[in-house]
Amino acid sequence: MKSCKGIENPAFVASSPDSPRRACAPSPSIELAFPAAPAAGSPPPPPAPQEPPARPSGAPGASAPGSLSEYEEGPCGWGGFQPQALRRCNTPQGFLFHYCLLALTQGIVVNGLVNISISTIEKRYELQSSLTGLISSSYDIAFCLLSLFVSFIGERGHKPRWLAFASFMIGLGALVFSLPKFFSGKYQFGALFEDTCSTAKNKGSCSTSSSPLFYYLYVFILGQLLLGTGGTPLYTLGTAFIDDSVPIHKSSLYIGIGYAMSILGPAVGYVLGGQLLTLYIDVDLKQSIDITEDDPRWLGAWWIGFLISWLLAWSLIIPFSCFPKHLPGTAKIQEGKISQTHQSDSLQATDGNFGQSFKDFPAALKNLMRNTVFMCLVLSTCSEAFITTGFATFLPKFIENQFGLSSSSAATLAGTVLIPGAALGQILGGILVSKFKMTCKNIMKFALLTSVISLVLTFVFAYANCENEPFAGVSESYNGTGELGNLTAPCNADCSCLRSYYYPVCGGNGVQYFSPCYAGCTQPVSKSQPKVYYNCSCIEGEIDITPTPSSVSLEAQAGKCSSQCKNLPLFLGIFFAAVVFTFMAGTPITVSILRCVNQRQRSLALGIQCTLLRLLGTIPGPIIFGSTIDSTCILWDINECGSKGACWIYNNVRMAYMLVAISVICKIITVFFNGLAVFLYKPPPSVTDVAFQNQNAVVTTVSLECDFSKAGNDG
């Protein structure tokens, strides 16, 4: 009899060229081969090599004979210099440690120091807010332009060296961003602006000519472009390298930790930048100046943080350059992985050489764009990025206006909620996916569940709305005089007040005023915190007196009036939970993207995600959020030239409901695409199913052979 070697499923191939392959028996002659019994006294034949279980074609190492050789593992070092001490770092944990440091540094600079320094840069270099907005968006522009190409080219390259390049570019970008400080000369502050009522001052001048300091704008833009270039390999190739180096059930935990560090970066940047802004901008002149931090002319040392980040980023170049192309054990880990790539007739099959040439880039891009599950997951992350960046930008403004807090207090509370909540959500999502060893489809279901919960919690904004406090000239008249919508009234008509100088004070009558000047106050009490004003002609019942401890209540006090809204603690608690559940889906969705695409296209998939995430999420998000909030403005800044500037007062109730509307719409889009991804996902046949099918085929073959033998004997 001819030997029958079983049934070959075309979806599976042998793991190596040395493994025996099964040939499919022709249907007319179904036969069995039995090993011949050994002759007496002869040694038993050597056992036949065990055939490894069938592997899906998308799994690493199963696409072509000898494909595992592409995982070039090696020691940690540089060429022939391989110190024994570096072996401890040549592990996934060692790489993750340095990855976290780089992600932390990138977050400190891009989302921390840049944001907290923008207002100081505006004043020092006389830039308009629209131009500083261009500085902020330059990072995303560079990221979008480069992420697709870097992720495609770097997939086959030496990923740790790409991260060494990222460290160099992030450090260089931070250094370039700080250079204007060293070439623009010493800061010259002018005379102190008086904020009280007087007929002989506060005459502003209208000037449209640009300052010679304007040209430093291009240096700041260049610095941001370099930072964007460095950030591109970090979140594409770095994430793919981590996924390569750890077992499939640990990947989510490692990625979650790395992403959590990138979220903690802005918190560190805000704390570091805030402390550095308490130092005078020209630190060598600190002892010779006569202004303090309370003086509006004060500018802090914004540039020191960028120099620290430059040194920190460049200190990571050497560690990343010493890692091998693949960590020891990567080939074994890849051999044990089972593909969970989405199966669809619209996806083109790729061979082992696909992606070697840049000519394959259009085909690879088209193949990923036709992966419906991948595109659904990407669009869901875009919707989440849209809302998270919007709130990261404007949550302090919302808290400040709704609950009557100062800008610094509102920013502190917003950071206390956003940063820990986001980091906790990323880590929890990674831990839960890793602990329960979820499959790709279960991971997507988990992300869908957390998205639904965060959607429900988003309605907290409708509950948090608070009515505006009485404001003279806006919602309250000046003791029955003047018109609503006009800050000028008979009591302050001769004070020559500037509407571009917003410095709110709270009168003893419980009414808030735009500034001491608009309250008609002529004299402040110095050396008092907060500053107290008296002789205020616009405050009802005010008389000319010298302030005493018993009469302070009749005067005006610097700052906003205390809000009667008591919902702040409950709002912060519920919003914290919403942030946790929102970011709890972040790591699982990233892992789902890595699982549902072809093994050789993971970096490009992350590149597409990062590009679309910025084009549809982080870039338009703050713009649309800002436009939505501006639509609720009831008092604008009008400068001496008649140009509209920032908004001073918002309609609190309308703002709350507008944010509820935009948040719910985005969350519904997220839930829709996450649910659609779960519905469309088709996993490949599992190894267990194939083994069971092969076992059934063997049993059927044996049964048929026995029937043929029985028929022959009967005949």
Side-chain angles (χ1 to χ4, degrees):
M1 289 188 299
K2 298 178 181 178
S3 75
C4 175
K5 297 183 181 178
I7 299 174
E8 179 183 4
N9 189 324
F12 299 89
V13 294
S15 298
S16 69
D18 299 328
S19 301
R21 294 176 58 90
R22 301 178 191 167
C24 193
S27 56
S29 57
I30 305 177
E31 300 178 355
L32 287 175
F34 297 94
S42 62
Q50 295 288 333
E51 181 179 0
R55 301 171 53 82
S57 59
S63 59
S67 61
L68 284 179
S69 62
E70 70 176 84
Y71 296 100
E72 302 171 10
E73 303 174 3
C76 198
W78 302 271
F81 180 68
Q82 300 166 358
Q84 293 288 334
L86 294 181
R87 289 188 176 182
R88 294 183 178 180
C89 298
N90 201 23
T91 62
Q93 294 83 2
F95 180 84
L96 179 65
F97 173 76
H98 293 92
Y99 177 88
C100 288
L101 287 179
L102 184 57
L104 181 70
T105 304
Q106 185 267 350
I108 289 174
V109 179
V110 176
N111 298 316
L113 294 176
V114 171
N115 291 342
I116 202 171
S117 303
I118 281 295
S119 61
T120 303
I121 291 173
E122 281 184 3
K123 298 174 184 177
R124 176 65 183 92
Y125 298 97
E126 303 175 19
L127 300 175
Q128 298 178 3
S129 296
S130 59
L131 296 177
T132 54
L134 177 60
I135 294 175
S136 299
S137 61
S138 298
Y139 175 88
D140 290 322
I141 293 173
F143 204 109
C144 290
L145 292 176
L146 296 174
S147 61
L148 291 180
F149 303 104
V150 170
S151 57
F152 180 79
I153 298 171
E155 172 62 35
R156 296 278 187 162
H158 198 296
K159 295 185 179 71
R161 289 179 185 169
W162 274 98
L163 292 187
F165 168 77
S167 303
F168 174 79
M169 296 303 294
I170 290 174
L172 181 61
L175 176 62
V176 169
F177 203 92
S178 67
L179 288 181
K181 162 65 182 71
F182 304 101
F183 294 97
S184 57
K186 302 294 184 182
Y187 169 55
Q188 303 293 330
F189 54 85
L192 178 63
F193 179 84
E194 296 293 338
D195 55 4
T196 52
C197 178
S198 174
T199 58
K201 57 178 179 58
N202 291 353
K203 296 294 184 180
S205 60
C206 178
S207 175
T208 58
S209 60
S210 60
S211 167
L213 297 174
F214 168 83
Y215 296 100
Y216 287 105
L217 168 71
Y218 301 109
V219 181
F220 292 121
I221 292 176
L222 175 60
Q224 280 284 72
L225 292 175
L226 294 173
L227 288 169
T229 303
T232 304
L234 179 62
Y235 296 110
T236 54
L237 303 178
T239 304
F241 186 83
I242 291 175
D243 189 56
D244 276 340
S245 306
V246 296
I248 192 169
H249 64 279
K250 291 184 178 180
S251 177
S252 59
L253 176 61
Y254 280 64
I255 293 174
I257 293 174
Y259 282 8
M261 293 302 292
S262 68
I263 293 173
L264 289 176
V268 177
Y270 270 93
V271 173
L272 175 63
Q275 293 300 314
L276 292 174
L277 289 179
T278 62
L279 302 175
Y280 185 64
I281 185 171
D282 298 315
V283 290
D284 55 326
L285 299 179
K286 179 68 170 86
Q287 304 300 326
S288 60
I289 60 172
D290 57 354
I291 62 174
T292 64
E293 296 177 48
D294 298 326
D295 195 302
R297 297 170 296 172
W298 175 275
L299 292 182
W302 60 271
W303 50 276
I304 297 178
F306 291 93
L307 294 182
I308 296 174
S309 302
W310 160 51
L311 297 175
L312 182 58
W314 277 14
S315 69
L316 296 172
I317 296 176
I318 293 178
F320 276 119
S321 64
C322 78
F323 280 103
K325 186 174 182 179
H326 295 282
L327 297 178
T330 299
K332 184 177 180 181
I333 290 173
Q334 294 299 318
E335 188 177 6
K337 287 185 177 180
I338 298 175
S339 173
Q340 301 182 57
T341 306
H342 170 58
Q343 304 297 298
S344 174
D345 295 336
S346 63
L347 301 180
Q348 299 176 354
T350 59
D351 57 23
N353 294 323
F354 184 79
Q356 296 280 11
S357 171
F358 193 75
K359 295 179 180 179
D360 296 326
F361 176 74
L365 193 62
K366 180 180 178 182
N367 205 31
L368 284 172
M369 300 291 280
R370 294 171 65 180
N371 188 326
T372 53
V373 174
F374 165 69
M375 291 305 300
C376 286
L377 294 174
V378 169
L379 292 176
S380 74
T381 59
C382 292
S383 176
E384 288 294 85
F386 184 97
I387 188 174
T388 52
T389 54
F391 277 119
T393 305
F394 294 104
L395 182 63
K397 182 185 289 289
F398 176 83
I399 295 176
E400 175 185 351
N401 287 274
Q402 292 290 332
F403 303 103
L405 301 179
S406 65
S407 299
S408 58
S409 299
T412 301
L413 286 176
T416 303
V417 171
L418 286 172
I419 303 300
L424 180 61
Q426 290 280 15
I427 294 176
L428 280 179
I431 289 176
L432 291 175
V433 170
S434 177
K435 180 177 178 60
F436 294 102
K437 300 181 179 180
M438 299 182 188
T439 62
C440 184
K441 189 157 193 172
N442 288 336
I443 293 174
M444 289 188 285
K445 290 179 179 178
F446 174 76
L448 175 61
L449 175 63
T450 58
S451 300
V452 171
I453 296 175
S454 63
L455 167 62
V456 175
L457 294 174
T458 301
F459 285 95
V460 67
F461 284 95
Y463 175 76
N465 70 85
C466 303
E467 295 285 346
N468 290 77
E469 299 297 326
F471 199 109
V474 178
S475 59
E476 190 86 5
S477 65
Y478 285 91
N479 305 327
T481 63
E483 300 177 357
L484 294 182
N486 188 356
L487 295 177
T488 303
C491 61
N492 59 27
D494 297 329
C495 292
S496 302
C497 302
L498 293 180
R499 187 167 168 175
S500 57
Y501 184 78
Y502 180 51
Y503 188 76
V505 294
C506 183
N509 55 358
V511 178
Q512 186 171 307
Y513 296 84
F514 188 84
S515 68
C517 183
Y518 276 105
C521 302
T522 58
Q523 293 180 330
V525 176
S526 59
K527 299 180 181 180
S528 175
Q529 294 296 333
K531 187 182 289 187
V532 176
Y533 298 84
Y534 60 100
N535 289 343
C536 303
S537 59
C538 293
I539 299 179
E540 188 175 11
E542 189 65 40
I543 56 176
D544 292 342
I545 59 173
T546 300
T548 63
S550 60
S551 65
V552 167
S553 61
L554 299 176
E555 312 300 331
Q557 182 173 286
K560 299 178 180 179
C561 294
S562 299
S563 174
Q564 302 302 314
C565 192
K566 306 301 181 184
N567 299 333
L568 180 59
L570 183 61
F571 166 77
L572 292 177
I574 298 178
F575 190 75
F576 178 81
V579 172
V580 171
F581 280 101
T582 295
F583 281 86
M584 198 180 289
T587 300
I589 289 182
T590 300
V591 174
S592 299
I593 289 174
L594 293 172
R595 299 288 170 266
C596 75
V597 301
N598 186 278
Q599 172 75 11
R600 302 180 184 278
Q601 295 182 305
R602 292 169 309 146
S603 295
L604 181 59
L606 293 176
I608 293 175
Q609 181 204 18
C610 290
T611 300
L612 293 180
L613 185 139
R614 280 161 173 77
L615 290 177
L616 303 179
T618 60
I619 293 177
I623 296 174
I624 295 178
F625 260 77
S627 300
T628 302
I629 292 176
D630 280 347
S631 69
T632 67
C633 182
I634 54 179
L635 182 65
W636 289 93
D637 167 30
I638 305 296
N639 64 15
E640 295 81 9
C641 300
S643 302
K644 183 187 293 186
C647 178
W648 296 128
I649 309 296
Y650 296 90
N651 184 319
N652 288 350
V653 175
R654 188 180 177 192
M655 179 194 289
Y657 284 114
M658 292 291 282
L659 289 183
V660 168
I662 196 171
S663 302
V664 169
I665 291 174
C666 290
K667 288 293 184 181
I668 289 176
I669 293 174
T670 299
V671 171
F672 171 77
F673 282 113
N674 281 342
L676 189 61
V678 173
F679 176 76
L680 295 176
Y681 177 67
K682 296 179 181 179
S686 65
V687 173
T688 305
D689 295 338
V690 174
F692 182 72
Q693 293 170 5
N694 289 343
Q695 184 180 7
N696 286 342
V698 172
V699 171
T700 304
T701 304
V702 172
S703 176
L704 289 173
E705 184 69 27
C706 292
D707 290 341
F708 291 150
S709 299
K710 183 177 180 181
N713 293 335
D714 292 342

